[in-house]
Amino acid sequence: MTKAIKPRTRPRLSHVDEKGRVQMVDVTDKPETDREAIAEAVVRMNAAAIRAIRRKEVKKGDPLQTARLAGMLAAKRTADLIPLCHPLPLSLVEVLMEARPRGYVIRSRVRTTGRTGVEMEALVAVATAALTLYDMLKAVDRAMVIGPIRLLEKRGGRSGHYRRT
């Protein structure tokens, strides 16, 4: 007797309906939970750019503080930038810069209590902060490299806790 083999089904993407059209996910019935996401971006730059930051010689002003503020603002505007993101009332947006020998690591922590996660807000924060560093330092180093940009951790919601290993 042969066993019937079930065809393998692909996981359904939540932002695509049965006709293949993009849609915003309806989160009405999801419970509100505490949610948090941590993301990171790396910016590698030449010694002259690093020196200009540390000696406060950047003509446009302090690139680290400007990038931090840009990242915070961007996190709050994520739904305006990413079409299918829900606008969220964020309770915390932190953007921190850590000096490295060849540049900076940017980390963001975003929190809310809501029906959907804040991963995109955390990622948009670090990406925007990295782009702001590039903008402020491009006169010194046009060869800066941004990346990787990645989610490090998320908590809350149905999918639970994720930590990049």
Side-chain angles (χ1 to χ4, degrees):
M1 179 162 163
T2 58
K3 213 180 205 186
I5 298 173
K6 285 186 179 180
R8 197 178 231 181
T9 59
R10 287 185 177 175
R12 189 171 170 275
L13 297 173
S14 61
H15 287 81
V16 180
D17 71 12
E18 58 281 341
K19 293 181 180 176
R21 297 176 300 199
V22 296
Q23 65 182 1
M24 186 178 233
V25 174
D26 184 355
V27 296
T28 305
D29 295 330
K30 291 175 80 176
E32 286 197 349
T33 61
D34 292 337
R35 296 166 182 265
E36 176 180 55
I38 300 168
E40 171 183 270
V42 177
V43 181
R44 288 180 292 286
M45 59 188 70
N46 67 24
I50 294 168
R51 201 168 31 256
I53 293 170
R54 294 184 183 153
R55 292 181 180 171
K56 301 190 184 314
E57 295 173 345
V58 178
K59 292 182 179 169
K60 290 184 173 185
D62 183 344
L64 300 179
Q65 291 307 309
T66 304
R68 284 185 64 245
L69 289 173
M72 288 182 237
L73 176 62
K76 297 188 309 182
R77 302 300 300 246
T78 298
D80 294 334
L81 300 169
I82 309 296
L84 301 178
C85 283
H86 293 83
L88 297 174
L90 304 180
S91 53
L92 173 75
V93 179
E94 290 178 337
V95 178
L96 304 171
M97 309 278 179
E98 183 180 323
R100 293 287 168 89
R102 293 190 172 107
Y104 286 84
V105 172
I106 305 164
R107 285 202 183 90
S108 68
R109 175 185 310 270
V110 179
R111 290 183 182 158
T112 193
T113 300
R115 292 183 167 97
T116 188
V118 287
E119 297 93 340
M120 293 307 300
E121 287 74 8
L123 289 162
V124 165
V126 296
T128 303
L131 289 167
T132 301
L133 281 182
Y134 185 92
D135 178 54
M136 294 192 72
L137 295 161
K138 66 184 179 237
V140 182
D141 182 7
R142 289 203 183 270
M144 278 180 279
V145 175
I146 297 171
I149 296 171
R150 58 194 180 174
L151 180 69
L152 296 178
E153 191 169 0
K154 72 135 257 33
R155 292 185 179 98
R158 184 177 51 202
S159 64
H161 187 204
Y162 163 82
R163 177 178 284 152
R164 179 175 291 280
T165 53

